[in-house]
Amino acid sequence: LTEHLPPSKRDSCTVFMQIFFAVGHILAVVLSMLLLRSSESDTDWRLFVAALAVPAALMLLVCPWVPESPSYLMMSCQEARAQEALTRICRFNGVTNLKVRLASPAAAKGGGGGGGGGG
C-alpha cells in the first residue's frame, strides 16, 4: 500500500500499519479470553472464529477501492492497466502533472542482470 503514497508519508504509514498488526494480535488474545473463558459451551469457539472473520470481511468490502500495484501490473505485461493505476494514484495524491510513464516490462523485470546462477 505504501507504493500509493507520496514519499514523505511512506515511513509514517508503514509504522501505522505495523501498529495495527500489533493491536490486532493483542485484541485477538483479549477476545479469546472473553469468548473462550468457559469450555462448557459449544458455541464459544464459533463466536471467536466469527469475531476474527469480521476484519477480513471488512477488508473484502474495501478491496474494490484499493488500486492495484502499477509495478506488479507492468511485470505481468498489463501496461495499459498499469498506466491507469498510476494515473489514479497520481490524481489521488494531488499530482496534476501526469508526465510519469512506466518502464517497459523488460526493464521492470530487471533487464538481464540479476539473479543467481553461478559459474
Side-chain angles (χ1 to χ4, degrees):
L1 288 177
T2 57
E3 176 181 3
H4 304 151
L5 297 171
S8 62
K9 301 198 185 219
R10 287 183 188 159
D11 293 340
S12 58
C13 184
T14 302
V15 170
F16 193 62
M17 287 191 309
Q18 293 303 316
I19 289 171
F20 269 109
F21 282 111
V23 169
H25 286 105
I26 292 168
L27 287 176
V29 170
V30 170
L31 191 63
S32 71
M33 290 169 52
L34 292 173
L35 294 177
L36 301 176
R37 61 191 129 128
S38 69
S39 60
E40 297 172 12
S41 174
D42 285 341
T43 60
D44 287 347
W45 69 270
R46 291 181 177 100
L47 287 172
F48 179 64
V49 171
L52 291 179
V54 169
L58 291 175
M59 186 60 192
L60 284 175
L61 292 174
V62 173
C63 277
W65 291 278
V66 176
E68 291 193 53
S69 165
S71 302
Y72 169 77
L73 291 170
M74 282 303 289
M75 286 189 276
S76 59
C77 298
Q78 300 179 45
E79 294 178 47
R81 288 185 65 202
Q83 192 61 49
E84 286 174 23
L86 185 61
T87 302
R88 181 177 172 194
I89 291 166
C90 287
R91 245 184 286 127
F92 181 81
N93 287 316
V95 177
T96 55
N97 185 5
L98 298 178
K99 292 182 182 177
V100 178
R101 300 303 288 171
L102 294 166
S104 69
K109 289 182 180 177

